[in-house]
Amino acid sequence: VLAMLQSRFGYPVRLVNMDQVYIDPEDVQDFKNGLIIDDDHADWIGAASPLGAELEPVAGTLEDVNDVDYFRLDWADTTFIYFYTLGDTDTYGRLLDADGVELASDDDTGPQLNFQVQETLTPGTYFIEVRRVDSGTEPGAYTLTWTTY
């Protein structure tokens, strides 16, 4: 299967499972509806965009209803942390552990139908998944914001 994917797309890809194809994070793109579409953040935790410890907000765009954005957080302390999105796009978010197991999720309890997740993190690697809930056809912008207590 991998050889067929490489020859069809013309660049190296790795089959993650039957639902996901991994494309080198240097050139993150989604293969959707027969088209290659530029994507601002990866659709797979293995190529997740890193979040720094400085707690800076991160802008994102969900290109369509099937787009998913992943962010990676390497955390060094035990801390209560609060993640949420801002913007007009109705978002759904999940906090995942290093193995991709869901620790928490939310849909509409944040501002403007955005998600918010609150959790105590211990040292380790975590991922935040952001996806679109509405069925709009235009790209949906959001800002991932987070703070600690």
Side-chain angles (χ1 to χ4, degrees):
V1 173
L2 184 57
M4 291 183 347
L5 291 171
Q6 286 177 324
S7 63
R8 171 147 185 214
F9 295 115
Y11 48 83
V13 296
R14 178 168 37 124
L15 185 63
V16 176
N17 61 42
M18 293 311 290
D19 297 320
Q20 293 180 309
V21 174
Y22 173 71
I23 300 170
D24 189 297
E26 295 285 325
D27 188 24
V28 175
Q29 297 176 323
D30 288 337
F31 184 75
K32 296 180 180 176
N33 301 321
L35 301 171
I36 299 294
I37 301 171
D38 288 334
D39 197 358
D40 57 348
H41 301 287
D43 291 356
W44 181 63
I45 62 174
S49 298
L51 293 175
E54 64 277 352
L55 305 177
E56 292 292 324
V58 177
T61 301
L62 297 168
E63 281 73 21
D64 62 41
V65 72
N66 297 312
D67 190 18
V68 179
D69 290 346
Y70 284 96
F71 300 89
R72 178 186 174 117
L73 177 63
D74 294 309
W75 203 247
D77 302 312
T78 298
T79 307
F80 181 79
I81 197 160
Y82 174 53
F83 296 97
Y84 58 99
T85 53
L86 297 172
D88 293 332
T89 304
D90 185 1
T91 58
Y92 174 82
R94 297 190 319 148
L95 175 65
L96 310 171
D97 69 11
D99 296 320
V101 176
E102 182 179 300
L103 301 174
S105 65
D106 184 66
D107 185 0
D108 290 336
T109 61
Q112 296 176 284
L113 300 177
N114 285 269
F115 84 88
Q116 65 180 3
V117 171
Q118 303 173 53
E119 193 73 26
T120 299
L121 300 185
T122 56
T125 298
Y126 298 90
F127 297 96
I128 300 162
E129 174 189 289
V130 180
R131 65 177 57 237
R132 190 173 183 159
V133 176
D134 63 22
S135 59
T137 57
E138 295 298 315
Y142 66 90
T143 301
L144 177 62
T145 305
W146 51 304
T147 189
T148 60
Y149 295 99

